[in-house]
């Protein structure tokens, strides 16, 4: 379980960093600070670490599980932003910016998750554990 979460953290971090880097270069900002990169990693860890909420709420509808996970992680991210002011002054729109950025990313990842759980699983229902579909047996 921990290995799976680490893989998810790594993939999301790389994708988020690549998108951010491309957008920064297109806007004329050549580099990001190391502090910003570490904060991005912390936000992704906060988002991925409490995925066990889904296991705890497995009897709830999917939308309820997503909403509870979002609220818990958003509160933790707001706490992270609040704690940053100990080390560095915050931009006046820091809370609004993290709310918009995290919500947009959460919706995008949530849609991928939802589509995979609905479409991906339905396509795999006919596949046996050995990878066959059983259609070869019908041909014989």
């Amino acid at each position: 379980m921990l290995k799976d979460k680490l893989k998810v953290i790594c993939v999301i971090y790389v994708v988020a960093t690549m998108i951010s880097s491309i957008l920064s270069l297109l806007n004329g900002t050549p580099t990001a600070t190391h502090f910003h990169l570490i904060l991005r990693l912390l936000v992704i860890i906060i988002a991925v670490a409490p995925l066990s909420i889904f296991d705890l709420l497995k009897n709830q509808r999917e939308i309820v599980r997503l909403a509870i996970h979002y609220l818990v992680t958003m509160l933790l991210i707001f706490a992270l932003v609040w704690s940053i002011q100990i080390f560095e002054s915050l931009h006046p729109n820091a809370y609004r910016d993290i709310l918009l950025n995290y919500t947009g990313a959460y919706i995008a990842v949530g849609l991928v998750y939802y589509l995979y759980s609905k479409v991906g699983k339905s396509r795999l229902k006919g596949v046996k554990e050995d990878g066959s579909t059983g259609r070869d047996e019908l041909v014989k």
Side-chain angles (χ1 to χ4, degrees):
M1 183 89 162
L2 179 62
K3 287 172 80 175
D4 292 337
K5 287 183 181 177
L6 288 175
K7 288 178 187 176
V8 171
I9 288 169
C10 290
V11 168
I12 293 174
Y13 181 76
V14 167
V15 170
T17 302
M18 291 303 297
I19 290 171
S20 175
S21 296
I22 290 168
L23 292 174
S24 292
L25 289 171
L26 290 174
N27 287 329
T29 308
T31 59
T33 65
H34 295 293
F35 187 67
H36 183 81
L37 294 172
I38 291 169
L39 289 176
R40 180 180 299 135
L41 178 62
L42 290 175
V43 167
I44 292 168
I45 289 171
I46 288 171
V48 173
L51 286 176
S52 57
I53 289 173
F54 284 93
D55 295 333
L56 295 173
L57 301 171
K58 58 184 155 195
N59 295 332
Q60 297 293 325
R61 291 183 11 200
E62 197 72 30
I63 191 73
V64 172
R65 292 167 25 168
L66 284 168
I68 291 172
H69 181 264
Y70 172 79
L71 289 173
V72 168
T73 55
M74 192 73 248
L75 288 173
L76 290 170
I77 290 169
F78 280 150
L80 174 67
V81 171
W82 178 82
S83 66
I84 290 169
Q85 64 189 347
I86 296 169
F87 306 105
E88 188 173 302
S89 62
L90 294 176
H91 186 276
N93 297 328
Y95 290 99
R96 184 204 67 185
D97 290 348
I98 193 67
L99 175 71
L100 295 175
N101 286 322
Y102 183 72
T103 302
Y106 196 90
I107 290 170
V109 171
L111 284 173
V112 169
Y113 170 78
Y114 178 78
L115 290 174
Y116 172 76
S117 66
K118 297 298 179 193
V119 177
K121 286 183 181 178
S122 67
R123 286 188 178 174
L124 295 175
K125 281 184 181 176
V127 179
K128 295 182 179 181
E129 287 183 27
D130 64 357
S132 68
T133 60
R135 293 181 185 157
D136 295 337
E137 296 170 7
L138 297 174
V139 176
K140 292 180 182 176

